[in-house]
Amino acid sequence: MFLTSIDPTVSIRLSSRPLSQRHPRSPIHRLKSEHVHCIMARSLTLHYPQPILSQTHHHKHQPPLHLNPKIPLTRRSLLLLSSSSLSIATTPPPASPATILPPPPPLDTTITDRVFMDFSLCPTTTFPSGTDSSNAPLCSESIPLGRVILGLYGHLVPITVTNFKSMCSPTSSSYKNTLVHKIFPGQFFLAGRQGRRDKAEVRPPLDLPRNTETIDSKAFMLTHSRAGVVSLCLSENDDEDEIKLDPNYRNVEFLITTGPGPCPQLDSKNIIFGTVLEGLDVVAAIASIPTYKPGERIRQFNDLAEFFGDERAQNARSIWNRPLKTVYISDCGELKVAKPPLSPSLP
């Protein structure tokens, strides 16, 4: 007969004869018996492992959690472990109240001075035939467009404001009877281009101070966020190179934004020194004057000529966006008020 042990893989054959009829134990029989007992003991050990000792008895010999061989390590677990440890290592500690820097102080846009500019229109003349005198009008049948009053930020950019007032003063009248030479619809218009007086261009006084605020970062912090912003034109300056190379050259070209939207392309490139207090309707009237716009084919030929280094390409671009009617500053000057400082919240 066969008797199945606890392990189903091990079976022992027992004889049904009585003990008296059995043969005496031979050496071979003893070896077989010992072999069976060894197989049973090994099977019981595999299926019934030794009890795990308490953790308190072998606390010093326990491996770390991440090195435990009982836990299977896959590629996904390794990636998660490495990413979590990296995020913990790169997370900056929270800033203490002592290390938080205070916000920078607001810019002082207090209006310290006011200047007026009268704009006029010559309806029948495209290019003026001016004279060397700044008091002579550009045309006999000029149509007044109105007066624009500018508020200047004398505390923020004092040199730029002082030079602008000097250009508008009655002693120099450098801006008087000079052209608004370019208009960009929906953005801004330019005035104060330097050149010959007989072409209604500006000639600044020789004693005008040099503007060192063009290299001051604080002077470029304001933005052209609305209509009526007045700024010294640096990025859009179109004075001729011969004039710019003069050692006594002073940049006096300025621009006024016409709206209705902001002009972010002008930010951080031009010095804002004032705002329009009165006369935004006059600014809008100037912006509505038609300008010269070249066709698409002319633009392509101009781009090709500029690519090959043809100087005539730049000369041709000088008349782009030029108003088809003569718009000029017929008069300008400084307004004296009893209380010059005004609220900086004005538009």
Side-chain angles (χ1 to χ4, degrees):
M1 58 179 284
F2 290 91
L3 178 63
T4 304
S5 66
I6 298 176
D7 189 352
T9 62
V10 180
S11 57
I12 308 173
R13 183 176 181 178
L14 301 178
S15 175
S16 59
R17 291 183 297 176
L19 294 174
S20 60
Q21 298 179 3
R22 296 180 186 176
H23 297 285
R25 288 178 175 269
S26 61
I28 298 176
H29 181 75
R30 286 197 301 270
L31 289 175
K32 290 183 178 180
S33 177
E34 292 175 1
H35 179 67
V36 168
H37 286 294
C38 180
I39 293 175
M40 291 180 60
R42 185 172 57 183
S43 174
L44 290 175
T45 305
L46 292 175
H47 284 271
Y48 296 93
Q50 294 295 329
I52 300 175
L53 297 178
S54 175
Q55 190 172 4
T56 57
H57 293 183
H58 299 277
H59 179 70
K60 294 183 180 180
H61 302 283
Q62 289 293 330
L65 181 59
H66 62 280
L67 297 177
N68 194 345
K70 299 294 183 180
I71 301 177
L73 295 179
T74 61
R75 182 184 300 178
R76 182 180 180 87
S77 61
L78 289 175
L79 290 175
L80 292 176
L81 181 62
S82 61
S83 62
S84 61
S85 61
L86 181 63
S87 62
I88 294 175
T90 56
T91 303
S96 60
T99 59
I100 298 177
L101 298 177
L107 299 176
D108 189 358
T109 55
T110 302
I111 297 175
T112 57
D113 306 275
R114 295 200 301 174
V115 169
F116 75 90
M117 282 189 170
D118 296 334
F119 292 89
S120 299
L121 178 67
C122 295
T124 58
T125 307
T126 303
F127 298 100
S129 56
T131 61
D132 292 339
S133 176
S134 61
N135 296 323
L138 297 185
C139 58
S140 58
E141 299 178 357
S142 61
I143 300 175
L145 296 177
R147 171 169 290 191
V148 177
I149 298 179
L150 309 176
L152 309 180
Y153 305 145
H155 293 164
L156 181 63
V157 281
I159 300 177
T160 305
V161 169
T162 301
N163 290 352
F164 188 77
K165 291 192 303 178
S166 301
M167 297 286 293
C168 296
S169 63
T171 56
S172 66
S173 298
S174 298
Y175 285 139
K176 187 176 180 180
N177 291 323
T178 59
L179 291 174
V180 175
H181 60 279
K182 282 191 178 181
I183 300 174
F184 297 85
Q187 301 182 58
F188 56 92
F189 66 82
L190 298 176
R193 174 184 168 92
Q194 294 189 42
R196 297 163 52 181
R197 287 298 303 186
D198 58 348
K199 292 186 177 181
E201 293 176 335
V202 174
R203 183 177 296 173
L206 298 177
D207 58 347
L208 196 68
R210 184 178 297 275
N211 193 346
T212 58
E213 292 169 348
T214 56
I215 57 175
D216 187 2
S217 60
K218 184 181 67 174
F220 296 89
M221 291 184 177
L222 295 179
T223 59
H224 302 75
S225 58
R226 50 182 171 77
V229 176
V230 186
S231 61
L232 184 67
C233 187
L234 300 177
S235 64
E236 305 299 323
N237 184 285
D238 56 355
D239 291 334
E240 295 182 0
D241 294 337
E242 296 179 359
I243 298 177
K244 292 181 180 179
L245 293 176
D246 189 347
N248 296 322
Y249 172 75
R250 303 290 186 268
N251 185 12
V252 294
E253 188 172 330
F254 67 95
L255 64 87
I256 299 178
T257 57
T258 59
C263 297
Q265 73 275 13
L266 302 176
D267 295 342
S268 303
K269 301 176 183 178
N270 304 275
I271 299 177
I272 297 177
F273 64 92
T275 183
V276 175
L277 300 179
E278 300 178 17
L280 278 177
D281 55 336
V282 180
V283 173
I286 297 174
S288 63
I289 296 174
T291 60
Y292 171 72
K293 297 179 181 179
E296 184 63 26
R297 184 174 295 273
I298 296 178
R299 290 179 180 270
Q300 293 177 358
F301 277 117
N302 188 276
D303 293 339
L304 183 61
E306 186 180 15
F307 176 77
F308 286 109
D310 194 340
E311 297 180 355
R312 293 175 295 180
Q314 186 64 29
N315 296 332
R317 289 191 178 192
S318 62
I319 64 174
W320 294 6
N321 298 298
R322 179 176 290 185
L324 299 179
K325 297 180 180 180
T326 301
V327 188
Y328 68 100
I329 303 171
S330 55
D331 196 8
C332 59
E334 185 178 0
L335 295 176
K336 300 295 183 180
V337 291
K339 296 180 180 179
L342 301 178
S343 172
S345 62
L346 291 173

